[in-house]
PDB file of all heavy atoms in Angstrom:
ATOM      1  N   LYS A  15      31.677 -37.718 -14.738  1.00 94.00           N
ATOM      2  CA  LYS A  15      31.058 -36.713 -15.484  1.00 94.00           C
ATOM      3  C   LYS A  15      31.925 -36.274 -16.659  1.00 94.00           C
ATOM      4  O   LYS A  15      31.534 -36.039 -17.850  1.00 94.00           O
ATOM      5  CB  LYS A  15      30.630 -35.455 -14.729  1.00 94.00           C
ATOM      6  CG  LYS A  15      29.660 -35.744 -13.681  1.00 94.00           C
ATOM      7  CD  LYS A  15      29.356 -34.505 -12.706  1.00 94.00           C
ATOM      8  CE  LYS A  15      30.664 -34.139 -11.949  1.00 94.00           C
ATOM      9  NZ  LYS A  15      30.912 -35.227 -11.001  1.00 94.00           N
ATOM     10  N   THR A  16      33.314 -36.078 -16.170  1.00 92.00           N
ATOM     11  CA  THR A  16      34.194 -35.636 -17.120  1.00 92.00           C
ATOM     12  C   THR A  16      34.489 -36.640 -18.241  1.00 92.00           C
ATOM     13  O   THR A  16      34.685 -36.241 -19.432  1.00 92.00           O
ATOM     14  CB  THR A  16      35.495 -35.039 -16.575  1.00 92.00           C
ATOM     15  OG1 THR A  16      35.072 -34.144 -15.551  1.00 92.00           O
ATOM     16  CG2 THR A  16      36.384 -34.446 -17.553  1.00 92.00           C
ATOM     17  N   THR A  17      34.552 -37.861 -17.863  1.00 92.00           N
ATOM     18  CA  THR A  17      34.756 -38.970 -18.712  1.00 92.00           C
ATOM     19  C   THR A  17      33.589 -38.912 -19.816  1.00 92.00           C
ATOM     20  O   THR A  17      33.925 -38.960 -21.034  1.00 92.00           O
ATOM     21  CB  THR A  17      34.745 -40.351 -18.081  1.00 92.00           C
ATOM     22  OG1 THR A  17      35.567 -40.243 -16.950  1.00 92.00           O
ATOM     23  CG2 THR A  17      35.088 -41.474 -18.924  1.00 92.00           C
ATOM     24  N   GLY A  34      36.827 -34.465  -6.879  1.00 65.00           N
ATOM     25  CA  GLY A  34      37.279 -32.907  -6.895  1.00 65.00           C
ATOM     26  C   GLY A  34      38.236 -32.694  -8.021  1.00 65.00           C
ATOM     27  O   GLY A  34      39.014 -31.799  -7.820  1.00 65.00           O
ATOM     28  N   VAL A  35      38.089 -33.434  -9.090  1.00 69.00           N
ATOM     29  CA  VAL A  35      39.110 -33.092 -10.228  1.00 69.00           C
ATOM     30  C   VAL A  35      38.562 -31.842 -11.002  1.00 69.00           C
ATOM     31  O   VAL A  35      39.412 -30.921 -11.141  1.00 69.00           O
ATOM     32  CB  VAL A  35      39.095 -34.297 -11.208  1.00 69.00           C
ATOM     33  CG1 VAL A  35      39.975 -33.934 -12.452  1.00 69.00           C
ATOM     34  CG2 VAL A  35      39.685 -35.458 -10.549  1.00 69.00           C
ATOM     35  N   THR A  36      37.357 -31.853 -11.359  1.00 73.00           N
ATOM     36  CA  THR A  36      36.816 -30.627 -11.990  1.00 73.00           C
ATOM     37  C   THR A  36      36.453 -29.572 -11.009  1.00 73.00           C
ATOM     38  O   THR A  36      35.770 -29.760 -10.078  1.00 73.00           O
ATOM     39  CB  THR A  36      35.646 -30.886 -12.870  1.00 73.00           C
ATOM     40  OG1 THR A  36      35.996 -32.183 -13.619  1.00 73.00           O
ATOM     41  CG2 THR A  36      35.241 -29.863 -13.861  1.00 73.00           C
ATOM     42  N   ASP A 117      29.259 -51.062 -15.916  1.00 91.00           N
ATOM     43  CA  ASP A 117      30.016 -52.158 -16.143  1.00 91.00           C
ATOM     44  C   ASP A 117      30.625 -52.670 -14.814  1.00 91.00           C
ATOM     45  O   ASP A 117      30.733 -54.031 -14.594  1.00 91.00           O
ATOM     46  CB  ASP A 117      31.311 -51.760 -16.913  1.00 91.00           C
ATOM     47  CG  ASP A 117      32.018 -50.481 -16.355  1.00 91.00           C
ATOM     48  OD1 ASP A 117      31.316 -49.554 -15.864  1.00 91.00           O
ATOM     49  OD2 ASP A 117      33.310 -50.426 -16.447  1.00 91.00           O
TER      50      ASP A 117
HETATM   51  N1  GTP B 801      34.464 -48.607 -14.431  1.00 86.80           N
HETATM   52  C1  GTP B 801      34.090 -47.416 -14.886  1.00 86.80           C
HETATM   53  N2  GTP B 801      34.812 -46.298 -14.504  1.00 86.80           N
HETATM   54  C2  GTP B 801      34.402 -45.135 -14.872  1.00 86.80           C
HETATM   55  C3  GTP B 801      33.287 -44.896 -15.576  1.00 86.80           C
HETATM   56  N3  GTP B 801      33.100 -43.584 -15.764  1.00 86.80           N
HETATM   57  C4  GTP B 801      34.175 -43.049 -15.322  1.00 86.80           C
HETATM   58  N4  GTP B 801      34.870 -43.989 -14.803  1.00 86.80           N
HETATM   59  C5  GTP B 801      36.234 -43.652 -14.022  1.00 86.80           C
HETATM   60  O1  GTP B 801      35.938 -42.808 -12.844  1.00 86.80           O
HETATM   61  C6  GTP B 801      36.940 -42.028 -12.497  1.00 86.80           C
HETATM   62  C7  GTP B 801      36.419 -40.568 -12.409  1.00 86.80           C
HETATM   63  O2  GTP B 801      36.139 -40.038 -13.610  1.00 86.80           O
HETATM   64  P1  GTP B 801      35.899 -38.508 -13.882  1.00 86.80           P
HETATM   65  O3  GTP B 801      35.196 -38.387 -15.284  1.00 86.80           O
HETATM   66  O4  GTP B 801      37.107 -37.733 -13.656  1.00 86.80           O
HETATM   67  O5  GTP B 801      34.725 -38.160 -12.837  1.00 86.80           O
HETATM   68  P2  GTP B 801      34.076 -36.622 -12.511  1.00 86.80           P
HETATM   69  O6  GTP B 801      32.669 -37.072 -12.170  1.00 86.80           O
HETATM   70  O7  GTP B 801      34.306 -35.747 -13.613  1.00 86.80           O
HETATM   71  O8  GTP B 801      34.764 -36.305 -11.134  1.00 86.80           O
HETATM   72  P3  GTP B 801      34.964 -34.713 -10.524  1.00 86.80           P
HETATM   73  O9  GTP B 801      35.442 -33.911 -11.617  1.00 86.80           O
HETATM   74  O10 GTP B 801      35.869 -34.987  -9.427  1.00 86.80           O
HETATM   75  O11 GTP B 801      33.625 -34.408 -10.021  1.00 86.80           O
HETATM   76  C8  GTP B 801      37.921 -42.063 -13.690  1.00 86.80           C
HETATM   77  O12 GTP B 801      39.057 -42.987 -13.309  1.00 86.80           O
HETATM   78  C9  GTP B 801      37.264 -42.789 -14.842  1.00 86.80           C
HETATM   79  O13 GTP B 801      37.993 -43.526 -15.659  1.00 86.80           O
HETATM   80  C10 GTP B 801      32.434 -46.122 -15.993  1.00 86.80           C
HETATM   81  O14 GTP B 801      31.345 -46.111 -16.584  1.00 86.80           O
HETATM   82  N5  GTP B 801      32.964 -47.240 -15.513  1.00 86.80           N
END
Side-chain angles (χ1 to χ4, degrees):
K15 296 175 298 297
T16 306
T17 310
V35 175
T36 309
D117 54 322

